[in-house]
Amino acid sequence: MNQDEIRQLIIQSADARGYTNRLLIKELRSQLTPCDPSELFNGLYSLFLSDDSNYKNRQELAGRLLYKLYPRLHLDLRRVIKDCLATYYICVQELPLYLVLLCGIERVVMVVNELAATELTERERISLDVFKFWLGMED
């Protein structure tokens, strides 16, 4: 499955069945486990880059799958965090937790602190503050 097919599968699944259905998550994990890690990450992460209709359910489902499937690959961590701040649904703790699994807490905290020192929109700043919360960072 390529990243576009993965994205469509998550959109259809989240729209039809939400994100809390354990059987759905089990089915999706089974379907997505054989996927190339890069395609899997890009397909799931792409849902964090838009806030179109039903984006909350879509991001919740994508986040759960990212965390559970843990695609291992090299990321430009700064770009990944920065790019999603304007559209990140702040209730999804699995995205920051996945990044910690992949890159380590020290590296994620360093990048979050670097981004906090840059010019951000109000929405991006709120998202970054929530990232800090999910990471257990003190202000």
Side-chain angles (χ1 to χ4, degrees):
M1 219 179 291
N2 68 35
Q3 66 187 40
D4 294 328
E5 293 167 328
I6 293 167
R7 177 184 170 82
Q8 283 308 116
L9 177 63
I10 301 309
I11 288 171
Q12 292 167 357
S13 299
D15 291 357
R17 297 169 67 186
Y19 64 89
T20 59
N21 184 314
R22 288 178 190 246
L23 183 57
L24 169 65
I25 293 171
K26 185 176 180 179
E27 290 169 9
L28 291 172
R29 284 177 72 179
S30 176
Q31 285 180 272
L32 296 173
T33 295
C35 294
D36 173 80
S38 180
E39 295 288 336
L40 180 58
F41 173 80
N42 289 324
L44 295 173
Y45 175 73
S46 70
L47 292 155
F48 291 94
L49 302 177
S50 66
D51 59 358
D52 51 6
S53 67
N54 205 23
Y55 78 101
K56 296 173 183 178
N57 282 355
R58 294 171 182 179
Q59 287 189 21
E60 287 277 9
L61 184 56
R64 288 173 187 222
L65 290 165
L66 256 182
Y67 186 74
K68 288 182 180 294
L69 293 170
Y70 181 35
R72 292 160 183 86
L73 67 159
H74 177 72
L75 296 176
D76 178 344
L77 185 60
R78 182 182 172 91
R79 183 193 56 77
V80 166
I81 295 173
K82 172 72 170 116
D83 287 354
C84 74
L85 290 177
T87 50
Y88 167 65
Y89 178 52
I90 60 176
C91 290
V92 183
Q93 70 183 28
E94 290 87 356
L95 177 61
L97 296 179
Y98 162 73
L99 295 174
V100 167
L101 279 177
L102 188 65
C103 302
I105 187 70
E106 297 83 12
R107 188 160 167 236
V108 176
V109 167
M110 181 185 74
V111 169
V112 166
N113 284 331
E114 287 173 4
L115 287 170
T118 65
E119 189 172 320
L120 299 171
T121 66
E122 183 178 347
R123 180 160 181 190
E124 290 172 329
R125 178 98 27 224
I126 290 168
S127 293
L128 195 62
D129 287 344
V130 172
F131 244 75
K132 289 179 177 182
F133 172 79
W134 290 129
L135 297 172
M137 296 171 65
E138 301 295 324
D139 269 347

